[in-house]
Amino acid sequence: MRNRVCEILGVKYPIIQGGLAYVGNGALAAAVSNGGGFGQVGTAGRTPENFKEQVRIAAESTDRPFGANLPISEHSDNTPYIEAILEVKDKLTAISLSAGNPKPLVSLFKEAGLKVMIMTASVKHSLKAQELGADIVICEGFEAGGHDSPLEMTLFSLIPQVSRELQIPAVAAGGIANGQGVVAALALGAEGVQLGTRFVATKECEAHENYKKFLVEAKDDATVVLERSIGRALRVLKSPFAQTILEFEKSRPTVEQLLPYIRGVNNRVAAIEGRVEEGWMNCGQSVGLIDSVESASDVVRNLAREAREIAAALGGLSTLFAD
Ligand SMILES: Cc1cc2nc3c(=O)[nH]c(=O)nc-3n(C[C@H](O)[C@H](O)[C@H](O)COP(=O)(O)O)c2cc1C
């Protein structure tokens, strides 16, 4: 059985690897796709040249579909990234647009032959994405690693409200790291899942070993939310550096005052260079479920196997609610 998300993306399983700033490299995207999911090469934290190089690496490592991610407000000028995406469009199946107004970009990428996925965190924005012509809405709950919506809606409440309004498929993101999460998301009305944090703790991801070690050792209470003082939300691993930012935020800084702490370079030093005392690491609430660093292909296959087993076992549930 293939559902609409499988059909649109041309994949075996409706399991997507989200855009991952700094650490969403080509080898990771290819490994996810080789496992039967849909990998994505990120533009955040990369130069346009490096992005194209990662797309080339991905294309050399898989003959299955994969895509790219463009967080719109991440780059001060999107033009070189849009040009880079269009240059490599023949290697891509879809583009996911997040963190900004996708309106000017949807028709541009659709005319280039790409499927367009728009990330949202509310019913209102999901309906807007549908109206703009998105093929898929990726709806992200507040459990998710990285930037979250300041609306702070959790996935359990968000997905059923979104999916009942939409005609196009909704994909659930945030807090999913095993087969239980996959099946639960589908039970709530999603037609696929997107994972981020789980895919950082994989062999192919270019995150530093120190970051991956943090993820494997972290428990359920290991994340904190930064940037609330400036009306935003960034979920990261609890660490002395993150605690320093939280303390500073108590003084109600302006965006300019907070910027030296939250700029991308502080993510890179920890996530890529492993200097975890000097920067922050994106991380979602499902991190307590991550026990090992595996191949991303195996992560996808294990998610599918667990989902298969859980879905089969749940068949008996109908008797619990018999008339
Ligand atoms: C390390 C990391 C970096 C991320 N960077 C991006 C990004 O550049 N663009 C984007 O749209 N989402 C980004 N996200 C969000 C993910 O694509 C995904 O939606 C989210 O991680 C799902 O929640 P989970 O972390 O609970 O699995 C990032 C998440 C993490 C953990």
Side-chain angles (χ1 to χ4, degrees):
M1 175 187 152
R2 275 155 63 95
N3 68 8
R4 291 193 291 175
V5 171
C6 296
E7 293 294 344
I8 292 167
L9 299 178
V11 290
K12 187 168 180 194
Y13 307 125
I15 298 174
I16 300 172
Q17 169 238 318
L20 300 173
Y22 290 95
V23 298
N25 52 317
L28 173 62
V32 169
S33 293
N34 283 332
F38 189 78
Q40 295 193 84
V41 177
T43 57
R46 299 187 187 283
T47 61
E49 285 311 312
N50 184 260
F51 163 74
K52 284 189 284 183
E53 171 66 4
Q54 296 302 320
V55 169
R56 191 189 59 72
I57 291 170
E60 273 175 15
S61 315
T62 186
D63 52 10
R64 300 199 181 173
F66 67 93
N69 168 252
L70 179 66
I72 293 161
S73 57
E74 182 75 23
H75 312 289
S76 50
D77 180 10
N78 275 314
T79 312
Y81 291 94
I82 294 166
E83 284 169 6
I85 293 163
L86 294 176
E87 255 182 71
V88 296
K89 69 179 168 47
D90 293 343
K91 296 184 167 65
L92 305 172
T93 296
I95 174 97
S96 62
L97 302 171
S98 55
N101 179 11
K103 191 172 177 181
L105 298 176
V106 177
S107 55
L108 178 83
F109 288 125
K110 290 201 82 153
E111 279 158 25
L114 297 175
K115 302 291 182 194
V116 174
M117 308 192 280
I118 297 181
M119 284 184 66
T120 66
S122 69
V123 172
K124 183 176 149 194
H125 287 129
S126 301
L127 287 172
K128 186 82 196 154
Q130 173 174 275
E131 191 187 310
L132 290 176
D135 296 283
I136 290 172
V137 164
I138 300 177
C139 212
E140 192 179 63
F142 193 55
E143 302 91 330
H147 272 115
D148 290 330
S149 163
L151 292 175
E152 304 199 3
M153 287 277 294
T154 51
L155 198 68
F156 211 90
S157 301
L158 188 56
I159 285 292
Q161 295 185 65
V162 166
S163 60
R164 76 169 181 175
E165 299 285 342
L166 283 183
Q167 269 86 56
I168 60 171
V171 163
I176 301 168
N178 67 9
Q180 290 170 314
V182 175
V183 174
L186 267 61
L188 292 171
E191 290 180 50
V193 292
Q194 171 168 295
L195 284 68
T197 305
R198 183 64 192 90
F199 285 120
V200 179
T202 58
K203 290 180 183 155
E204 296 84 358
C205 178
E206 68 180 339
H208 194 278
E209 295 310 312
N210 293 346
Y211 185 1
K212 295 179 188 177
K213 189 163 176 279
F214 255 96
L215 295 177
V216 170
E217 288 172 1
K219 301 283 177 254
D220 56 333
D221 62 350
T223 73
V224 290
V225 176
L226 308 178
E227 300 188 4
R228 273 184 171 131
S229 64
I230 54 168
R232 304 197 315 218
L234 174 70
R235 189 177 292 283
V236 302
L237 270 169
K238 204 184 273 178
S239 70
F241 189 87
Q243 296 291 7
T244 306
I245 299 178
L246 280 179
E247 272 308 308
F248 182 61
E249 286 195 80
K250 286 183 187 161
S251 70
R252 298 251 142 226
T254 61
V255 177
E256 288 70 30
Q257 287 167 330
L258 192 60
L259 205 60
Y261 293 90
I262 56 168
R263 62 198 170 155
V265 65
N266 295 346
N267 184 199
R268 197 195 62 218
V269 292
I272 297 290
E273 297 168 25
R275 300 191 335 250
V276 294
E277 302 302 324
E278 296 171 42
W280 41 267
M281 292 161 281
N282 292 318
C283 179
Q285 288 185 313
S286 65
V287 66
L289 291 169
I290 302 174
D291 299 325
S292 59
V293 174
E294 297 168 35
S295 156
S297 302
D298 288 338
V299 168
V300 174
R301 289 189 201 106
N302 287 337
L303 285 167
R305 179 183 48 76
E306 288 172 11
R308 220 163 30 237
E309 289 169 5
I310 291 162
L314 283 178
L317 254 191
S318 56
T319 58
L320 184 62
F321 299 101
D323 278 344

